[in-house]
Amino acid sequence: MSRKLSADADQLLAELQHLATLSDCAEPPPAVTRVVFSEADLRARAYLKGLYEEAGLAVRVDPIGNTFARWEGAEPAAGVVGSGSHTDAIPHSGMYDGTVGVLGALEAIRTLKRSGYCPRRSIELVMFTSEEPTRFGVGCTGSRAMTGRLTADQLTGLKDESGDNYDEVRQRAGFSGALQDVLLPEGYYHAFIELHIEQGPELEAAGLPIGVVTAIAAPSQLTLCVEGEGGHAGAVLMPVRRDALTAAAEVALAVERLARESVSPDLVATVGQLGVHPGAANSIPSRVTMSLDLRDIDLANRDAVLVRLREVAEAIACRRGVKLQVTVQNADPPSVADAGIVDAAEQACRDLGASHQRMISRAYHDSLFIGQVAPMGMLFIPCRGGVSHRPDEYASPEAMATGVEVLAATLAKLAEE
Ligand code: GLV
Ligand code: MN
Ligand code: MN
């Protein structure tokens, strides 16, 4: 495609900034919290729907709120070329994670429209419901359900902190219809490509505007529950204590040691949540729940570390006389990008004079699940200092504009296939 593609970075930035004001967070932007099916999430969805309609796209919302905005192609029955990401945001995070892939895809479509391009295949922007695991403990519920990785029963079995299940919460938020209908028909996507900030430091360090993703690392998430014995902080002497928190702390340190010793440099492990019961300064903790996030591009190594970690945690629990229960919330395989989409993205980079490198994604994305049923690719743009999941997350307007233009050119190539 030889047309001039010129993204409107000012409009994109203004829209991102407005979206950032739609937040559950008491702090002002750029700090953002947007939990799925919260009031802020619903306001954000309404704002985005208005933008999609202004751009002349036909909007469809599925029973759990996955939102599709379609630019009908000359051959509407042909497999769709999809692009999109998420707009939910973990507590106290930034304003670019996911949102750049939603508003960026919208700007890519507007850029193509302004250039006079008309697609053969339909191009569809998707906003996935709940990429983040914040509310229901499992990430990517929208794309898992769309691709059959979460059944209607499994979705209903997911509960939030108040004990409300996914089905009740989505209905209260105004999403109706049978959960079974979320599943996409086979062959729905001809190709899918997601634009995202890198969330790591490599592109910035290399001075490159674009990363073409070749694979997404395999994520897993576990919940560990340690039960010890509570008691009075003054009266129970040290030799007889069965403190659940000190046992959990030892497990957390063992997790860190195992990850540091891993043969794969890409294995990472994080304990990000700790719930201490009863949570009083003068009471020995009787129960601790702890999250564990463990990932690697090398699935066999990720799984071997998971097995080793359970053994070590059980040995710690046994020695300290506490009970340990381990629940695997999810343990997913990695996803490999489609060679044809990688080629199309690299050709788009060359056409636009944007230098790039191939790279893996250590963060997970909805593309991980789309990639299990359809040809998938991802484009990364640099973010300052590689910082993400923090309020000071930042991508420059220039970086976003280049990402949008490369995305637009790639979508145009894929839509002509
Ligand atoms: C996505 O937010 C991830 O945790 O990788
Ligand atoms: Mn995220
Ligand atoms: Mn994200």
Side-chain angles (χ1 to χ4, degrees), residues 5 19 26 28 37 62 76 101 108 121 134 164 173 176 181 185 207 233 255 274 276 286 294 297 325 366 388:
L5 294 174
L19 191 56
F37 303 137
D62 82 4
R121 295 177 181 276
T134 314
D164 295 337
S176 57
D181 293 347
V255 165
L274 212 55
V276 181
S286 60
L294 188 81
I297 191 72
Q325 198 192 334
D366 293 293
S388 184

Side-chain angles (χ1 to χ4, degrees), residues 17-96:
Q17 284 170 336
H18 182 75
L19 191 56
T21 66
L22 308 175
S23 168
D24 300 307
C25 193
E27 276 177 59
V32 179
T33 301
R34 200 177 300 111
V35 178
V36 65
F37 303 137
S38 67
E39 204 201 312
D41 179 36
L42 298 182
R43 286 169 60 213
R45 288 165 181 273
Y47 170 62
L48 290 165
K49 182 163 182 278
L51 295 181
Y52 304 153
E53 286 169 350
E54 254 171 50
L57 306 178
V59 179
R60 172 175 79 85
V61 181
D62 82 4
I64 59 170
N66 291 311
T67 304
F68 303 82
R70 182 179 177 94
W71 182 13
E72 189 97 303
E75 289 176 35
V80 161
V81 173
S83 184
S85 192
H86 63 100
T87 55
D88 62 325
I90 64 162
H92 203 68
S93 61
M95 56 176 269
Y96 297 90

Side-chain angles (χ1 to χ4, degrees), residues 86 88-90 93 97-98 131-133 196 199 363-364 388-389 393:
H86 63 100
D88 62 325
I90 64 162
S93 61
D97 175 6
E131 190 260 2
E132 303 289 7
H196 206 283
Q199 305 182 282
Y364 62 72
S388 184
H389 281 186
E393 178 179 273

Side-chain angles (χ1 to χ4, degrees), residues 91-114:
H92 203 68
S93 61
M95 56 176 269
Y96 297 90
D97 175 6
T99 53
V100 166
V102 174
L103 285 167
L106 177 61
E107 181 51 24
I109 290 174
R110 290 186 302 222
T111 300
L112 286 169
K113 286 191 166 200
R114 281 195 301 271

